[in-house]
């Protein structure tokens, strides 16, 4: 299972490393990318070396798009949005965490599809593309090969849910036990949504 | 709040970045260290540049020690263990996640103190130093300025618990909500311990 993770300046730490921890239990093929490659950092002083997105020629099995404050700037980065669109189209599964769905929505690929995002930034995410069928109350949403999760920690529940969809709940549950994680299996249960 | 994170080859991803996500909501002063500094990687292909531990001259406010498969090798690294001992002695709070408590136990600083660790590697951790009062059934354990957590994800619950001890439960709870994390507040509740 090839997992390709998009990074950009000011990505949210756990949006990336929650899913990476879980994918790391099933594959050694995890790679980090950014628009032009090189060192990418965030406000938590996490700094990683990345490959350029152009290296993904034929798509990937899982394309993971995190959120974070950096998305506010990146939705206006036409070159990045075009690359995300191109790679998402070629990839088998596309997963976004938190405000990562704003980047995905900006490509137009979610138009008419169901998707969710971070609760605190929900209005902003909706404003990025109102043609998406935004679902506010959901831990994560699946529509075709697109998985979109709520804020930060929800990315872990979604990643386990994604692996459950592929390999069964028992398979995903065993990973949750291995990392001593209280997996919330119900994608429709959302304790952090205070309005519908 | 100065947070200094120890890294070594084959650290566990979420042991580090779960707590870093949470500490990142309260401080900008997070730094990554390793014995001699330089690039440190793990099996999830996460690769970070680090400062040498010698740069920590007067201790730090929080010294965070993760676990991971790398601990099996590092418990025999006398130079590293001596540095961990020196920095832990100088620091205000010492937190370990998962098998990170094996490294801390090896220093002797936990002798006669209560501590916990990963459930799956518990016997190995106990064997590293039997003079520690190892508590198997606990999400995390506090003894003086030492906080030790169970496996991987327990590090997030412990970090929120640590912040609750410092600033109150409401303060920590607000961070949990911000990152949409289902915080397990009870340090004595351990769903992953199958024996006492």
């Amino acid at each position: 299972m090839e997992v390709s993770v998009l990074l950009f300046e000011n990505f949210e730490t756990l949006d990336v490393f929650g899913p990476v921890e879980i994918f790391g239990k099933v594959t050694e093929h995890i790679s980090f990318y950014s628009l032009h490659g090189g060192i990418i950092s965030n406000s938590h002083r996490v700094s990683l070396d990345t490959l350029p997105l152009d290296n993904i020629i034929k798509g990937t099995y899982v394309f993971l798009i995190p959120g974070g404050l950096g998305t506010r700037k990146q939705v206006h980065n036409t070159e990045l949005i075009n690359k995300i669109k191109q790679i998402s189209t070629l990839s088998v599964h596309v997963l976004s965490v938190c405000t990562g769905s704003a980047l995905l929505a900006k490509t137009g690929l979610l138009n008419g599809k169901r998707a969710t995002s971070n609760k605190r930034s929900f209005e902003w995410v909706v404003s990025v593309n109102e043609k998406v069928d935004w679902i506010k109350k959901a831990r994560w949403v699946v529509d075709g090969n697109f998985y979109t999760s709520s804020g930060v920690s929800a990315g872990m529940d979604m990643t386990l849910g994604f692996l459950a969809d592929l390999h069964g709940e028992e398979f995903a549950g065993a990973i949750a036990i291995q990392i001593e994680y209280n997996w919330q299996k119900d994608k429709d249960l959302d304790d952090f949504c205070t309005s519908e």
Side-chain angles (χ1 to χ4, degrees), chain A:
Chain A
M1 186 189 286
E2 189 190 22
V3 178
S4 303
V5 183
L6 173 69
L7 296 184
F8 44 81
E9 291 295 315
N10 281 323
F11 66 89
E12 187 77 22
T13 302
L14 194 63
D15 289 15
V16 169
F17 296 108
V20 163
E21 170 71 34
I22 293 163
F23 281 124
K25 298 297 177 201
V26 293
T27 180
E28 291 181 354
H29 302 286
I30 300 173
S31 304
F32 298 93
Y33 295 88
S34 66
L35 184 51
H36 300 297
I39 300 287
I40 298 289
S41 307
N42 72 10
S43 63
H44 300 160
R45 305 269 291 274
V46 181
S47 207
L48 273 90
D49 202 5
T50 61
L51 301 163
L53 279 177
D54 273 342
N55 285 25
I56 307 177
I57 297 166
K58 296 178 177 176
T60 174
Y61 190 73
V62 172
F63 187 39
L64 179 73
I65 305 169
L69 277 179
T71 58
R72 305 288 175 132
K73 187 175 172 188
Q74 299 302 334
V75 289
H76 304 295
N77 183 341
T78 310
E79 190 185 0
L80 177 67
I81 297 299
N82 287 341
K83 282 280 164 217
I84 291 174
K85 183 172 185 175
Q86 181 194 335
I87 293 165
S88 296
T89 305
L90 292 166
S91 296
V92 183
H93 303 282
V94 182
L95 278 61
S96 74
V97 179
C98 197
T99 48
S101 55
L103 299 178
L104 198 49
K106 189 74 177 183
T107 66
L109 291 174
L110 293 180
N111 289 10
K113 290 189 189 290
R114 299 166 71 249
T116 195
S117 194
N118 178 295
K119 301 297 106 125
R120 294 199 163 200
S121 307
F122 209 80
E123 284 173 30
W124 172 72
V125 174
V126 169
S127 78
V128 168
N129 186 343
E130 299 195 355
K131 291 177 185 160
V132 179
D133 181 10
W134 291 109
I135 311 293
K136 190 161 187 186
K137 193 175 178 68
R139 189 68 173 160
W140 75 91
V141 167
V142 186
D143 195 329
N145 63 333
F146 292 99
Y147 282 66
T148 55
S149 91
S150 285
V152 196
S153 311
M156 298 182 67
D157 291 329
M158 176 185 73
T159 302
L160 288 165
F162 170 73
L163 291 175
D165 291 345
L166 286 183
H167 302 297
E169 195 175 299
E170 202 173 330
F171 180 91
I175 296 171
I177 290 170
Q178 201 181 343
I179 63 168
E180 298 187 24
Y181 180 66
N182 289 302
W183 177 27
Q184 186 202 294
K185 297 176 186 179
D186 182 352
K187 67 186 193 315
D188 300 320
L189 179 69
D190 185 356
D191 293 330
F192 299 95
C193 182
T194 50
S195 63
E196 293 293 315

